[in-house]
């Protein structure tokens, strides 16, 4: 909240630093204290936009982080909020960044290392919210292939967890005890019957549906009565998508 209040006006500052009548194109995307500025040329960003932002920051007793500030070509791509944004030819794609993928695998491995002696059901109970949350964050982008690769990484991590628990048991015995068929997926890290009588299985990232995000119209305001119908329709559309997902999961 403080970051939003402090940086309020940044977008207008960027737009005011270039003459629109000469066809300059600049746009600002900001989330709290993280932001990106797009421009039609490197020269525009270096000579007009960057100095304007630095003046804006200085007036508020702030400065840009040298480590996080860089000017790059869109075809080389860049990371923003855990997402890699890059243009391939004429197509712009957003994918989970490699740093975000590594962070998830490290988190899963950390949980498994700490829960070496915990029950499989408890491990699944701890990991599933982590996996669901990561999938929900990235399911708007081009993530299906990444989800599949991450599922493989996580599967090997759970296999090593099981092997550490039973170093003297065969691979067949370990698979029979910890990995079972779940729908069309064979070898799912799962429990056939928990104390509650229900099966429990590790969430598969690839099962999360890819749902493209439709940008909210810039002039729309949730507290303006004239936009009430617009936001109601967005909520209905999102609710239908979530309902289809849960019906598929069930």
């Amino acid at each position: 909240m403080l970051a939003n209040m402090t940086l309020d006006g940044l977008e207008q500052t960027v737009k005011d630093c270039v003459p629109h009548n000469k066809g300059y194109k600049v746009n600002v995307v900001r989330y709290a204290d993280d932001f990106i500025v797009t421009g039609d040329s490197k020269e525009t960003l270096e000579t007009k936009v960057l100095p304007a932002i630095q003046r804006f920051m200085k007036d508020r007793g702030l400065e840009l982080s040298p480590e996080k500030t860089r000017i790059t070509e869109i075809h080389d791509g860049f990371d923003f909020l855990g997402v890699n944004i890059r243009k391939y030819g004429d197509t712009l794609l957003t994918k989970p960044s490699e740093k975000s993928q590594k962070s998830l695998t490290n988190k899963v491995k950390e949980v498994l290392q700490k829960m070496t002696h915990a029950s499989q059901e408890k491990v699944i109970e701890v990991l599933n919210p982590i996996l669901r949350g990561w999938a929900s964050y990235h399911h708007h982008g081009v993530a299906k292939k990444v989800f599949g690769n991450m599922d493989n990484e996580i599967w090997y991590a759970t296999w090593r967890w099981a092997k550490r628990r039973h170093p003297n048991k065969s691979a067949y015995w370990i698979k029979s005890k910890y990995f079972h068929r779940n729908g069309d997926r064979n070898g799912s890290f799962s429990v056939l019957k928990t104390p509650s009588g229900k099966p429990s299985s590790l969430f598969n990232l690839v099962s999360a549906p890819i749902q493209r995000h439709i940008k909210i119209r810039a002039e729309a305001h949730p507290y303006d009565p004239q936009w009430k119908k617009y936001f109601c329709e967005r909520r209905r559309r999102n609710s239908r998508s979530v309902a289809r997902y849960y019906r598929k999961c069930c």
Side-chain angles (χ1 to χ4, degrees):
M1 181 183 71
L2 292 175
N4 281 327
M5 292 173 63
T6 303
L7 297 181
D8 188 30
L10 175 64
E11 294 88 342
Q12 193 59 47
T13 297
V14 171
K15 290 181 179 179
D16 291 343
C17 75
V18 294
H20 293 279
N21 59 343
K22 292 187 178 181
Y24 289 100
K25 297 179 181 179
V26 293
N27 294 283
V28 180
V29 178
R30 182 165 67 87
Y31 183 85
D33 61 338
D34 291 314
F35 61 89
I36 57 175
V37 180
T38 61
D40 58 350
S41 70
K42 183 178 181 180
E43 181 184 2
T44 298
L45 296 175
E46 284 183 339
T47 63
K48 298 181 182 297
V49 175
L50 185 58
I53 293 176
Q54 290 172 332
R55 290 192 297 269
F56 177 88
M57 292 289 188
K58 187 176 181 180
D59 290 342
R60 288 155 177 77
L62 303 172
E63 61 181 18
L64 291 173
S65 169
E67 296 80 15
K68 296 182 179 179
T69 303
R70 67 188 185 100
I71 298 176
T72 186
E73 217 283 326
I74 189 62
H75 289 92
D76 295 329
F78 61 93
D79 292 347
F80 182 61
L81 301 177
V83 176
N84 180 261
I85 303 170
R86 183 178 175 184
K87 210 168 186 180
Y88 298 82
D90 294 328
T91 304
L92 181 69
L93 300 182
T94 59
K95 304 177 181 180
S97 68
E98 290 186 4
K99 185 177 179 180
S100 180
Q101 295 175 48
K102 188 173 180 60
S103 176
L104 177 64
T105 53
N106 287 342
K107 179 65 175 178
V108 170
K109 291 175 182 177
E110 180 184 335
V111 169
L112 292 173
Q113 287 173 358
K114 289 181 178 179
M115 303 185 71
T116 302
H117 302 292
S119 66
Q120 184 183 15
E121 179 189 2
K122 186 63 179 177
V123 171
I124 292 173
E125 183 182 327
V126 173
L127 286 179
N128 274 355
I130 297 172
L131 299 177
R132 289 182 187 276
W134 195 84
S136 295
Y137 183 82
H138 288 289
H139 81 288
H140 294 299
V142 184
K144 209 66 172 179
K145 183 177 180 180
V146 173
F147 283 176
N149 293 337
M150 294 295 290
D151 278 337
N152 290 336
E153 289 279 342
I154 293 167
W155 187 91
Y156 281 113
T158 57
W159 178 265
R160 289 191 291 270
W161 175 86
K163 285 282 289 183
R164 283 196 300 271
R165 288 166 65 94
H166 308 282
N168 299 321
K169 295 293 185 179
S170 68
Y172 177 81
W173 187 94
I174 291 173
K175 182 179 183 301
S176 299
K177 181 173 177 61
Y178 294 102
F179 299 88
H180 311 284
R181 175 170 290 280
N182 181 17
D184 59 354
R185 185 181 178 89
N186 190 22
S188 174
F189 187 70
S190 56
V191 180
L192 293 179
K193 190 175 183 180
T194 64
S196 63
K198 296 181 179 179
S200 176
S201 61
L202 193 66
F203 177 75
N204 293 318
L205 297 172
V206 77
S207 68
I210 300 301
Q211 180 184 349
R212 299 289 179 247
H213 173 71
I214 300 176
K215 183 182 180 299
I216 296 177
R217 294 174 62 177
E219 66 273 19
H221 197 294
Y223 297 107
D224 188 337
Q226 69 172 321
W227 292 101
K228 181 179 180 180
K229 182 178 179 181
Y230 171 77
F231 281 103
C232 285
E233 179 56 34
R234 284 187 65 90
R235 282 193 291 271
R236 278 197 297 269
R237 182 168 54 245
N238 290 336
S239 297
R240 287 195 296 268
S241 298
V242 171
R244 284 197 299 269
Y245 169 54
Y246 280 109
R247 282 199 300 270
K248 181 179 178 182
C249 289
C250 296

